[in-house]
Amino acid sequence: MTYTRVVCVAVVASVLAAVMVGGGSGHHPAAAWFVGVDPVAVLRTVAIAGVGAVLGVKLRLPAGALLGPLVLGGVLNVTGIAQPVLPQWLLAISYAVVGWKIGLSFTRDTLRVAGKAMPRILLSVGLLIAFCGGIAAALTRWAGIDPVTAYLASSPGGMDSVAIIAASSPVDVPFVMALQVMRFLGVLLIGPPLARFVATRQGGVVPVIPT
């Protein structure tokens, strides 16, 4: 159900960004794959990402491999110590790895088990996307946020796929990622006690959440 949600959210967000940003023309400028960049700056960016991932895992942060580089890169960028350099070829490789990871999570056994529940899964995902679309509409109406930025910011994850779509679109990426991190932390805080509460009320086994 989680990966079905990720795929559905990514497809809806990608189509929305393409239609609303590109005006539905389907025309996109050719990517400048190998423009001149400072190789030292690129290596520094990769090193920051690697160090952040290691620190995030070592410190046992939730999704440390993702939040570690995000926090470290954000601090270094805000303080002016280092600014990331992200050439298109590096972004393309990163996007491919994320897509590969999500795609390989679907197996025949998984689809066979989930087959009977798939209509309910799709209905649940559809309702979730619609609810988040309502939040995006509220942000657009009362906070003056452009629709694509608002939808990506309120999109129900995954954070990595939303980050890819945001980085590939002319939207307010810091705003999108700030709300995505807030959503992620909110799920971490509310999810475990809510799961225990539901399991207890349903008479099931109370899940043990590792710390």
Side-chain angles (χ1 to χ4, degrees):
M1 183 171 185
T2 295
Y3 284 109
T4 301
R5 172 183 57 83
V6 170
V7 170
C8 292
V9 168
V11 169
V12 171
S14 298
V15 172
L16 181 66
V19 171
M20 298 194 69
V21 174
S25 63
H27 174 72
H28 300 279
W33 294 102
F34 299 103
V35 295
V37 292
D38 182 0
V40 175
V42 175
L43 289 175
R44 182 171 61 240
T45 300
V46 174
I48 291 172
V51 171
V54 171
L55 289 176
V57 173
K58 291 289 186 181
L59 295 174
R60 296 184 178 181
L61 295 177
L66 176 65
L67 288 185
L70 192 153
V71 173
L72 180 60
V75 170
L76 294 177
N77 189 46
V78 169
T79 57
I81 297 175
Q83 292 184 337
V85 176
L86 301 171
Q88 286 294 328
W89 59 265
L90 179 59
L91 291 174
I93 293 173
S94 303
Y95 300 167
V97 170
V98 173
W100 187 36
K101 175 180 178 296
I102 295 174
L104 289 179
S105 300
F106 288 89
T107 64
R108 290 182 180 179
D109 292 337
T110 302
L111 294 177
R112 188 179 302 113
V113 172
K116 293 182 179 179
M118 191 57 67
R120 287 174 289 172
I121 290 175
L122 292 175
L123 176 61
S124 300
V125 172
L127 291 174
L128 180 62
I129 292 175
F131 176 77
C132 292
I135 296 177
L139 287 173
T140 299
R141 180 176 179 82
W142 289 300
I145 308 297
D146 73 88
V148 179
T149 296
Y151 178 76
L152 292 177
S154 59
S155 176
M159 192 190 305
D160 48 3
S161 58
V162 170
I164 289 174
I165 298 169
S168 306
S169 308
V171 299
D172 188 347
V173 178
F175 181 83
V176 170
M177 294 312 300
L179 261 68
Q180 284 291 324
V181 171
M182 290 176 60
R183 177 189 63 80
F184 181 76
L185 295 178
V187 170
L188 289 178
L189 291 174
I190 300 173
L194 181 61
R196 284 192 289 264
F197 173 77
V198 172
T200 302
R201 291 293 297 270
Q202 295 296 323
V205 178
V206 178
V208 178
I209 308 299
T211 57

